[in-house]
Amino acid sequence: MERLTVAGAKAMCSDSFRDARAYLDRRVEHVRLTVASGEKDAAAMAVAAQVQQLDPTARPASPEPRASRPRFARTDIRGLLADPGAAEISLEQAQQEFGCFLTIFPPSGGHRGLKIAIKDIFRFDDHMPTAGLARAPGDLALPPSPLIARLRVAGGQVAATTKLSPWCYLPLEVNEMVAPPRNPLGTGLLVGGSSSGSAVAVASGAVQVALGSDTGGSIRIPAALCGVYGFKPSKGSIPEQGAMPLGTTQDTIGVLAASPFVLRSVFDVLTTLPEEDLPLAPTAVVGIPQGLFHQADSPLQRGLERMTNALQVLGIASRTVPALDLPRMNAAAGLITGHEAAAFHGPRMVLRPDQYPQTIRSRLLVGLAVSDAAYRMAQANRAACLLQVLQDIFAQSDWILAPVINRSGLKHAEIGQPEAIGKLSVELLSMNRWVNLLGLPSICIPVAGTGATPSAVQIVGAPRSDRALLALACALHSLLDPELKKL
């Protein structure tokens, strides 16, 4: 348990703390969960600190329409993924060296299209996902995912399922139930999560592409740490049916790949966004929010310079734009995810405590302390923040350039204690959650670093600008690393 700080003590005396503590007491009693008083205090303190970052006068947004049966944008997808490409190592070798897979599937019917790894959160065929546990829970009641069938129709080969952190609820590969994957870039380097196995599978060279999910950075963080591309589309642009949810209003299905050209092909197969021919605008501008890179380390600063130089070659100017209100947006995102995750997992923690290691239990206790009123306030702040970003930044720029992680070459030595896991998790989420909160598309792009630990930046687009964003990434690809081949 974290020691109570001065700031924490002030939070404990606040109305926000008292409200969160009282609400948590009622929730815990309702689900009949045994929780120590110190654990309750820590959870309520975390919620109070987030609530205090919000604007209580923010007005609620109009309710979003419920998702209907997905209507995919393309009907002519046969053969789009039929080219198998060139695997650098076999699936079996990747598993032996890096431990990224849970199940490896033999090619069915001699089919050998593009090899695709699947984060183990999807139901398909007779496969039920483990969601990061030692074995698949038998009570998830997920419908079959339509994505797997689409990939196969397009010629893709579903080659394996990949490891993840339990319930998708950590931005690290930490998993007390399943041995986590190892980073192909070097011994002792962190992989990140929760789509950890998918990032390692691509970085190993065994597959060119993998599906993942991203609720607060779970694709972009491991992509950055493993030196691959990671694409988080606009919210809802890839159907989420048949995938294990975490925070339903921020969950996004996305793709990791060795090349943006492969990302674009897979996105074309899976998206419901209409096709558009969007050439790069001759006067396009990338906005860099004020102060956003001030804490970036030297390798990332050099990567930022390489990126802005490459953008300049494409005729795209870089401009400083108003700062993002990250404390407010991170707080809103945390409250929303916590409330939504706890609604599902709270009762299950009592019935199946063996499925919830302490790292996940602690985060879910925070979610249980988020009242309906705090959740509604967070949703209202979400709408206000989106409007502010559209008016202040996207009104004068086409994209936003931002860090994924401020430090390069993170190592396992940093997460030796539970408190360190929580601290690093907050750090990793802090640069990424805002994208999910606002439902924006973002692509993590590796830029050359020093030695075996590349840095990465992310380019964030306006809502539903996914195709233009992927086109930009493809145009940047050869400029950032001439040795990379277009796949």
Side-chain angles (χ1 to χ4, degrees), residues 119 121 129-133 135-140 164-170 175 177 194 213 215 244-247 251 341 344-345 348-349 352 354-357 360-361 364:
K119 183 177 183 179
I121 60 170
T130 64
L133 307 183
R135 61 185 62 85
D139 61 336
L140 295 184
L164 62 147
S165 51
W167 300 113
C168 306
Y169 212 6
L170 276 178
N175 192 324
M177 300 180 174
S194 63
S213 63
T215 308
M244 177 65 211
L246 174 60
D251 289 344
F344 175 80
H345 290 287
R348 294 187 89 263
M349 283 200 296
R352 300 168 181 83
D354 58 308
Q355 295 181 357
Y356 294 90
I360 306 302
R361 174 187 161 96
L364 287 170

Side-chain angles (χ1 to χ4, degrees), residues 281-332:
T283 58
V285 173
V286 167
I288 303 177
Q290 186 174 11
L292 199 58
F293 281 89
H294 283 182
Q295 296 182 1
D297 64 7
S298 296
L300 180 54
Q301 293 287 356
R302 290 192 293 271
L304 172 63
E305 184 179 2
R306 290 203 74 208
M307 174 60 77
T308 54
N309 289 341
L311 289 166
Q312 188 174 10
V313 171
L314 295 176
I316 300 173
S318 300
R319 172 188 301 165
T320 301
V321 295
L324 294 168
D325 191 351
L326 287 181
R328 180 186 183 189
M329 289 193 283
N330 280 323

Side-chain angles (χ1 to χ4, degrees), residues 307 399-401 441-443 445 457-461 469 472 476:
M307 174 60 77
W399 297 286
I400 297 173
L401 187 57
S442 175
I443 184 165
I445 300 178
V457 296
Q458 60 180 320
I459 301 180
V460 182
L469 182 59
L472 174 61
L476 287 166

Side-chain angles (χ1 to χ4, degrees), residues 154-218:
Q157 173 193 340
V158 176
T161 56
T162 61
K163 294 179 179 178
L164 62 147
S165 51
W167 300 113
C168 306
Y169 212 6
L170 276 178
L172 296 162
E173 69 270 30
V174 174
N175 192 324
E176 297 91 333
M177 300 180 174
V178 179
R182 300 174 291 279
N183 197 324
L185 297 183
T187 303
L189 293 176
L190 283 174
V191 170
S194 63
S195 303
S196 51
S198 290
V200 171
V202 173
S204 73
V207 299
Q208 292 181 5
V209 65
L211 292 193
S213 63
D214 192 312
T215 308
S218 286

